[in-house]
Amino acid sequence: MRILLLTHAFNSLTQRLGAELQQRGHEVSIEFDIADSVAEEAVALFRPALIVAPYLRRAIPESIWSRHVCLIVHPGIVGDRGPSALDWAIQDGEAEWGVTVLQAEREMDAGPVWASATFAMRRAKKSSLYRNEVTQAAAIAVLQAVQRFESGSFQPPALASLSGVRGRLRPLMKQDDRRLDWTRDSTDTVLRKINAADGFPGVADSLFGEPCHLFDAWPEATLRGMPGTPGTLLARRETALLRATLDGAVWIGHVKRPGSIKLPAALAFGHEAPALPL
């Protein structure tokens, strides 16, 4: 079967799905979704039987989804809707999450459900969860959805007709939602917030009184902040900086300062960091 993968980037998920589908004998073409005209041309030239969209940052144009079955790979449980699915799941401390394959329609993430798969959440950075658990669940769900489409007999149920749906519509997560309160947030809360923003966009905060975005946080197992001083920078180790939380401390591995690229924290603050004890 001719399958067009319509994607924003040739990331790990797109590569995995392309390989899995080709191994099963499907003829796969990949097109970058950069504009309606480009996507429309790809569909016209390749003439796919099915379109699978593993990673998009915008809606598939109606000129395509109204004429072709387009399956969207959404990194959320059934019923979850919105562009920050995995971010919310990590930050909210969900114990189980999943991937849903649904059909593109006018309303985003609300089309008929072709397949889904769930996985246990581990405490990890968003990029790690995406490359591992999300990608594995997506492969399972997409392959099931493709088999169901090939059969010609499967009728995907409308989302509204499903019972026991736990997912819901949630908005784009903004920096106000990610904001750290060092005087109130526990170590676990700080880690969840930074993990949920890992890779992009990071958590807006400040170090040494200067604004920056924080990435790559790890819990400190031994050192603790002084009573009443959460938020205080305590030490440095190699290129990471240690910051006190309400009940412990976390290592900040990378930061991005305004006008700069993401750098190891101690390197980004090369003038200030040496004053901290090793």
Side-chain angles (χ1 to χ4, degrees):
M1 184 168 63
R2 297 167 69 86
I3 300 177
L4 175 65
L5 293 185
L6 189 61
T7 183
H8 177 78
F10 194 50
N11 64 357
S12 58
L13 175 57
T14 304
Q15 294 174 46
R16 170 71 180 274
L17 294 181
E20 293 277 5
L21 292 168
Q22 287 177 324
Q23 287 176 1
R24 286 158 177 79
H26 299 292
E27 185 178 351
V28 177
S29 179
I30 298 171
E31 183 61 56
F32 293 107
D33 180 49
I34 58 176
D36 287 0
S37 59
V38 174
E40 289 165 349
E41 183 180 28
V43 172
L45 291 174
F46 187 62
R47 302 189 306 278
L50 177 67
I51 298 172
V52 177
Y55 175 53
L56 295 178
R57 289 190 174 179
R58 66 190 200 103
I60 294 177
E62 184 174 0
S63 59
I64 294 178
W65 63 254
S66 63
R67 300 174 183 174
H68 304 269
V69 174
C70 301
L71 300 183
I72 307 297
V73 182
H74 179 70
I77 56 176
V78 174
D80 181 86
R81 297 169 57 199
S84 301
L86 194 54
D87 302 55
W88 285 113
I90 296 169
Q91 188 157 306
D92 290 348
E94 295 282 356
E96 183 183 76
W97 202 238
V99 172
T100 304
V101 178
L102 47 90
Q103 189 167 336
E105 290 190 340
R106 190 179 307 278
E107 191 174 0
M108 291 283 287
D109 300 333
V113 176
W114 281 80
S116 65
T118 59
F119 56 87
M121 288 282 281
R122 58 187 169 92
R123 191 163 85 171
K125 297 175 177 61
K126 178 171 63 175
S127 56
S128 178
L129 287 166
Y130 187 86
R131 288 193 300 266
N132 292 281
E133 285 87 342
V134 170
T135 296
Q136 179 64 19
I140 293 170
V142 167
L143 291 175
Q144 183 179 52
V146 169
Q147 288 179 340
R148 287 172 169 175
F149 178 81
E150 277 191 298
S151 74
S153 61
F154 180 74
Q155 294 296 320
L159 180 61
S161 70
L162 297 175
S163 60
V165 171
R166 185 166 62 89
R168 65 188 189 279
L169 173 62
R170 290 189 286 192
L172 172 71
M173 184 178 283
K174 299 180 180 179
Q175 285 297 339
D176 280 347
D177 302 306
R178 305 181 191 273
R179 190 179 306 280
L180 294 168
D181 185 343
W182 293 95
T183 65
R184 296 186 178 184
D185 288 348
S186 65
T187 296
D188 183 66
T189 299
V190 170
L191 290 171
R192 282 191 281 107
K193 288 181 177 181
I194 298 179
N195 283 343
D198 179 67
F200 181 84
V203 174
D205 200 60
S206 63
L207 291 173
F208 301 101
E210 298 293 328
C212 61
H213 283 70
L214 309 182
F215 304 85
D216 186 23
W218 297 87
E220 164 55 37
T222 304
L223 297 177
R224 294 291 182 266
M226 296 297 292
T229 59
T232 302
L233 286 166
L234 302 174
R236 59 189 170 93
R237 183 173 63 198
E238 296 180 355
T239 58
L241 303 176
L242 184 65
R243 193 168 191 180
T245 64
L246 184 66
D247 59 351
V250 296
W251 290 98
I252 306 299
H254 287 78
V255 302
K256 184 180 183 301
R257 302 183 70 174
S260 181
I261 61 174
K262 188 192 302 184
L263 292 169
L267 181 60
F269 288 94
H271 294 294
E272 299 89 344
L276 294 173
L278 288 169

